[in-house]
Amino acid sequence: MRPAVRPLPRRAGAAVLALVAVLGTAGLAPPAARPAEPLTGLVNPFIGTQNEGNTFPGAAVPFGMVQLSPDTGHGTGYDYRHEHIRGFSTVHLSGVGCRIGGDLPVLPTTGEVTSTDNARYAASFSHRDESARPGYYRVRLGSYGGITAELTATARTGRQRYTFPATGKANVLFNAGQALHRTVSSTVEVVDERTVRTTITGRGFCQDTRPYTLYTLTRFDRPFASYGTWNGDRISAGSRSSSSAARNGAWVRFDATRDRDVEATTAVSYVDAAGAERNLRAEQDGFDRTAAAARAAWERRLGDVRVAGGSTTLRRTFYSSLYRSFLSPNVGSDADGRYRGWDQRVHRARGFTYYQNWSLWDTYRTQAQLLALLAPREARDMALSVLRVDAEGGWLPKWGYGTVETNIMTGDPVTPYLTNAFHHGLLTGHEEEAYRVLKKNADGVPPAASPAVGREGNGRYLRDGYVPYLPQRPRAKPGDSDFHQGASATLEYALADGALATMARALGHRADADRYAARSRAYRRIHDPDTGFFRPRDDRGAFTGPADPARSPGFHEGTAWQYQWLVPQDPPGLVRLIGGRDATDRRLDSFFAYDRLLADPARTAREVWVHGPYDYYNADKYNPQNEPDLIAPYTYLSTGRPWKTTDVVHAALTLFTDTPDGMTGNDDLGTMSAWMVLSSIGVYPVQPGADVWGLSTPVFDRVELRLDKRWYPGGRIAVSAPGTSRTDRYVRSVRLDGRPYGRTYLTTADLRRGARLDFAVGPRPSAWGTGGQDGPPAVR
């Protein structure tokens, strides 16, 4: 059951409704018979909160530093199946697969404070008394006499409003010593009669990592009646401060016998306590005005994409995916521009906003491209922030959280991330700077003193053309090791080399471009002609592990079946390696269980492809819940059967719904959501980091993307497919800007000019896109 979206919080007034109605009419007009609907009303923040989608339902603004959301005891925050809330904490990441964030869970209670463990004092709740929309969350707690909690947010603050039952003992508990990950140490201080300050140092994400520190400042709208702290199990009434490496916190109390509402604002900073204070002063406003501003910000952001056609359920699913695509990366600099760099020193962002939280192994495949189109100003600042990581920390990031590198995942995801920004014109004025650091990353290994692992296997890759699979090799640094995933690391390095070749050639570095293009063919070095699949090689160069491609080791979160399609830099070469277009087509058909898919696409997706959110291994079928084979459906574009791409993509789209379990796998900071958005539009980045976009049939009659003319002179992308449906889903012909178009791909340059793409669809496949030169080209 989809949780109801509660009307605007009280006192928001008709003015806000009028505002969002006006914003909702921007761009593509809906059919005349239907009144304009606020797009935020189509978003269900509870999607993905069940079955390990690991999303959060709480309040945030686009790319905000704060994500104020309930934690129920789940490793990444909220689980829809749970029945108790442990607190509303300030920091969350959407869809991560390991514990992280959850700093400073705050919970309203009544009566005496007798427990210091949030698992014990957690409050019960029911989904019947819970609702959410972008920028706003509300729940009525069943415990403590019934307390209503409302949350909203600005970029750097979280607003809370608690409505207590009539009582003289209305408490707010600040738990500085418990979070989703491990808290190393914390300090809590009751600063004055309305203010609480904390300093929290935490660490951990999948493995033990370097610590980071978060500073918070919370100010209430009225004075405390009393207060106290706790340290471990010891509760001290009247105490103003406490520090500990264990459970640690404070409580403040109000007299709510008459005035039952209590409002508070929590500001955060990764710099220092003064930064939190400045952020609080810079983003002050009342709860209702803040909630209205958050909703308006989301209306503007969502309004850049307008769709026509499709069911209400499809539109809800689509706009919910679009919403999640804009939740990260996150603002990392304070209101005054200061931020803490990866050298753990304080710097100031001048002329740009500094961002952090880089799930690059995931986002380089889909979300980076979507943000480049729809949020180019922010995407430029994000790319510049990645360059600052190198300038200040000494090396480019792999998986960065807050102010530290975690080294989680493998390969070289930062290269296609930055080359994508280059091809979209987002690095203007910084092209050579970016190329210089990418070249350093591609041709070297970070020094031992650096916390980064970079391309850990680069020495052997550059010498032998592959990264050896060395499962017993000790990790040199915290995080994952490329040597433990030698086969997939080889494929990822080659992909990155291909992306870098396109940037080098565009900048006139022809010798480098030729060298990187040649290195991008390294995938051939791990192809075993006896099995016809990629296999890991050991330290001596021999193929190792079981010959069965479904059970081969050396592939990170996947199998040789799933990774065999990760050669976007050379689709024609991959097809030749497998044995030609017909042989590749047969292997794809087996991989997707294509005959069963035609008979029942939704059942095939849920019963043949999907076996659990973390079931990565021992499979010979497509896994649309994880990143390694996201690109696989588009390989049919290179076999001359583009209609099969549509069949598979539309089947995979059935895994996305508007219910709490309507996410396929972890969302991974918007990666899966962006896949859904782009595949629904029918324009997908089939060469991540380069500039090639594959085509498939859209699921809407019409989609219009409004683009920023500073980066996209054409100002819009319009895609139409009148009459598209479950039965009429095959491309009969395509016109690009009014002219017949026979290829199955576009370039970034086409999109930047402002493409108008018109699909004619029907019930049967056609000859469109079947020519030998119609598929995506190889990097040269």
Side-chain angles (χ1 to χ4, degrees):
M1 180 182 70
R2 178 175 183 263
V5 177
R6 183 178 183 265
L8 284 170
R10 58 186 181 279
R11 300 188 293 272
V16 178
L17 292 174
L19 171 63
V20 298
V22 170
L23 290 167
T25 63
L28 179 66
R34 180 188 300 159
E37 53 187 343
L39 296 179
T40 50
L42 292 173
V43 174
N44 178 6
F46 291 95
I47 294 174
T49 60
Q50 186 173 314
N51 197 29
E52 302 300 325
N54 292 349
T55 58
F56 63 86
V61 296
F63 313 118
M65 183 185 293
V66 169
Q67 307 83 33
L68 189 58
S69 189
D71 295 327
T72 64
H74 186 262
T76 58
Y78 182 97
D79 190 317
Y80 195 79
R81 296 166 300 182
H82 290 177
E83 298 176 343
H84 288 80
I85 290 174
R86 299 186 180 193
F88 306 103
S89 61
T90 55
V91 178
H92 297 82
L93 292 182
S94 182
V96 291
C98 297
R99 293 177 179 270
I100 198 164
D103 302 279
L104 192 63
V106 175
L107 189 72
T109 70
T110 59
E112 296 300 331
V113 177
T114 59
S115 175
T116 64
D117 183 347
N118 63 17
R120 296 181 62 188
Y121 65 66
S124 65
F125 78 106
S126 167
H127 297 306
R128 293 189 301 272
D129 299 318
E130 182 186 41
S131 61
R133 60 166 168 74
Y136 176 78
Y137 172 89
R138 175 189 180 275
V139 66
R140 185 180 185 276
L141 303 177
S143 302
Y144 305 111
I147 303 169
T148 297
E150 297 173 271
L151 312 177
T152 188
T154 68
R156 299 174 181 86
T157 73
R159 304 279 202 273
Q160 306 126 68
R161 179 161 62 200
Y162 304 126
T163 303
F164 291 91
T167 177
K169 295 180 178 180
N171 313 311
V172 179
L173 279 56
F174 291 80
N175 195 328
Q178 292 182 295
L180 299 177
H181 51 198
R182 183 160 71 88
T183 301
V184 176
S185 64
S186 66
T187 298
V188 61
E189 178 186 3
V190 180
V191 178
D192 57 36
E193 64 180 3
R194 294 197 304 131
T195 309
V196 177
R197 174 185 293 134
T198 71
T199 302
I200 302 168
T201 299
R203 70 189 310 162
F205 174 57
C206 296
Q207 301 177 33
D208 199 22
T209 58
R210 297 171 67 200
Y212 75 96
T213 299
L214 183 72
Y215 304 86
T216 81
L217 189 71
T218 302
R219 186 157 293 151
F220 287 82
D221 64 342
R222 56 178 163 129
F224 313 140
S226 59
Y227 52 82
T229 65
W230 70 79
N231 197 315
D233 291 325
R234 189 178 71 255
I235 300 171
S236 303
S239 169
R240 283 187 172 272
S241 64
S242 178
S243 297
S244 180
R247 290 200 308 275
N248 189 42
W251 51 271
V252 297
R253 177 168 293 165
F254 302 89
D255 183 351
T257 53
R258 292 189 177 181
D259 185 357
R260 296 167 52 201
D261 283 359
V262 174
E263 291 190 17
T265 302
T266 300
V268 304
S269 170
Y270 290 83
V271 178
D272 52 27
E277 173 74 40
R278 293 190 185 99
N279 291 342
L280 186 67
R281 291 201 306 265
E283 299 180 1
Q284 291 189 66
D285 216 336
F287 186 94
D288 289 319
R289 290 177 63 88
T290 299
R295 185 169 193 175
W298 280 112
E299 284 291 340
R300 289 191 296 272
R301 184 67 63 183
L302 299 173
D304 284 338
V305 181
R306 305 294 296 189
V307 303
S311 66
T312 300
T313 297
L314 178 59
R315 292 197 304 276
R316 281 201 300 258
T317 305
F318 178 84
Y319 278 106
S320 297
S321 295
L322 187 61
Y323 159 77
R324 291 188 300 272
S325 301
F326 291 129
L327 287 171
S328 60
N330 305 100
V331 171
S333 51
D334 288 342
D336 61 3
R338 295 185 309 147
Y339 65 91
R340 189 167 296 277
W342 283 31
D343 56 1
Q344 302 308 307
R345 299 177 180 177
V346 178
H347 304 271
R348 190 180 298 273
R350 302 185 187 278
F352 75 107
T353 298
Y354 181 79
Y355 287 85
Q356 58 193 23
N357 299 334
W358 307 107
S359 182
L360 296 174
W361 186 83
D362 308 291
T363 59
Y364 88 80
R365 308 165 198 261
T366 59
Q367 194 235 17
Q369 293 83 353
L370 185 63
L371 295 190
L373 288 175
L374 296 177
R377 178 174 61 83
E378 292 86 353
R380 172 180 169 82
D381 286 357
M382 292 167 189
L384 296 181
S385 300
V386 168
L387 297 182
R388 299 313 302 162
V389 169
D390 177 88
E392 294 150 8
W395 210 264
L396 288 168
K398 178 168 285 187
W399 210 121
Y401 178 66
T403 62
V404 300
E405 173 66 89
T406 72
N407 290 321
I408 294 301
M409 305 313 296
T410 48
D412 178 17
V414 72
T415 292
Y417 176 84
L418 282 176
T419 58
N420 172 72
F422 166 76
H423 287 298
H424 283 268
L426 305 180
L427 290 176
T428 301
H430 298 269
E431 296 94 337
E432 290 297 340
E433 174 193 358
Y435 181 71
R436 183 175 64 252
V437 299
L438 284 171
K439 184 176 179 180
K440 177 183 72 171
N441 175 75
D443 293 341
V445 177
S450 170
V453 295
R455 285 195 185 199
E456 184 185 15
N458 229 8
R460 293 293 300 272
Y461 176 78
L462 298 181
R463 189 189 80 183
D464 302 326
Y466 65 90
V467 180
Y469 171 56
L470 307 175
Q472 305 306 318
R473 180 183 175 119
R475 289 185 175 89
K477 300 173 183 179
D480 290 314
S481 171
D482 288 347
F483 290 110
H484 295 179
Q485 315 289 348
S488 58
T490 299
L491 296 174
E492 296 271 11
Y493 287 12
L495 181 157
D497 283 338
L500 189 54
T502 65
M503 183 178 181
R505 200 168 303 282
L507 291 175
H509 302 295
R510 288 176 292 180
D512 281 353
D514 291 342
R515 180 165 58 92
Y516 291 129
R519 273 171 37 180
S520 77
R521 314 297 185 233
Y523 69 89
R524 301 171 184 171
R525 294 283 293 140
I526 62 168
H527 183 261
D528 181 358
D530 291 337
T531 66
F533 285 84
F534 297 130
R535 290 184 69 189
R537 291 181 180 268
D538 64 17
D539 203 28
R540 296 172 298 174
F543 289 115
T544 186
D548 182 351
R551 288 167 174 76
S552 175
F555 294 92
H556 204 168
E557 295 187 359
T559 69
W561 268 99
Q562 292 154 358
Y563 268 96
Q564 69 182 312
W565 317 111
L566 193 65
V567 189
Q569 71 276 16
D570 188 18
L574 175 64
V575 169
R576 288 193 297 272
L577 195 66
I578 292 175
R581 298 213 300 178
D582 290 342
T584 304
D585 190 71
R586 288 192 296 271
R587 188 174 292 184
L588 284 165
D589 286 353
S590 174
F591 181 62
F592 292 114
Y594 186 71
D595 288 344
R596 295 179 65 177
L597 180 151
L598 286 180
D600 194 337
R603 185 172 182 178
T604 301
R606 294 190 177 277
E607 296 184 5
V608 179
W609 296 348
V610 171
H611 300 285
Y614 299 110
D615 191 4
Y616 302 135
Y617 301 106
N618 302 321
D620 64 353
K621 294 294 183 286
Y622 180 42
N623 181 10
Q625 297 195 114
N626 205 29
E627 281 72 18
D629 55 357
L630 285 182
I631 202 170
Y634 295 89
T635 311
Y636 279 121
L637 301 182
S638 298
T639 69
R641 283 83 165 180
W643 64 87
K644 293 186 178 182
T645 290
T646 291
D647 287 333
V648 174
V649 167
H650 284 209
L653 286 172
T654 66
L655 296 169
F656 295 84
T657 70
D658 65 343
T659 59
D661 63 351
M663 170 67 59
T664 177
N666 303 152
D667 197 26
D668 289 324
L669 277 69
T671 299
M672 306 307 289
S673 291
W675 188 94
M676 189 275 171
V677 169
L678 292 164
S679 293
S680 296
I681 293 171
V683 180
Y684 185 85
V686 295
Q687 276 188 1
D691 63 349
V692 178
W693 300 69
L695 302 180
S696 64
T697 306
V699 297
F700 295 104
D701 287 342
R702 183 171 172 83
V703 182
E704 185 171 314
L705 283 68
R706 183 172 55 197
L707 307 181
D708 190 326
K709 289 188 176 182
R710 288 173 293 180
W711 283 276
Y712 301 96
R716 69 166 191 160
I717 297 170
V719 181
S720 71
T724 182
S725 68
R726 183 181 62 82
T727 55
D728 290 9
R729 64 176 183 264
Y730 297 116
V731 178
R732 307 295 298 169
S733 63
V734 175
R735 302 183 75 85
L736 176 63
D737 298 328
R739 298 184 299 275
Y741 191 77
R743 291 178 174 173
T744 60
Y745 67 93
L746 298 177
T747 67
T748 301
D750 293 326
L751 301 181
R752 294 186 71 189
R753 284 192 296 267
R756 190 179 82 249
L757 196 62
D758 298 306
F759 291 83
V761 298
R764 290 176 296 279
S766 72
W768 174 82
T770 60
Q773 303 301 312
D774 291 342
V779 165
R780 299 295 181 204

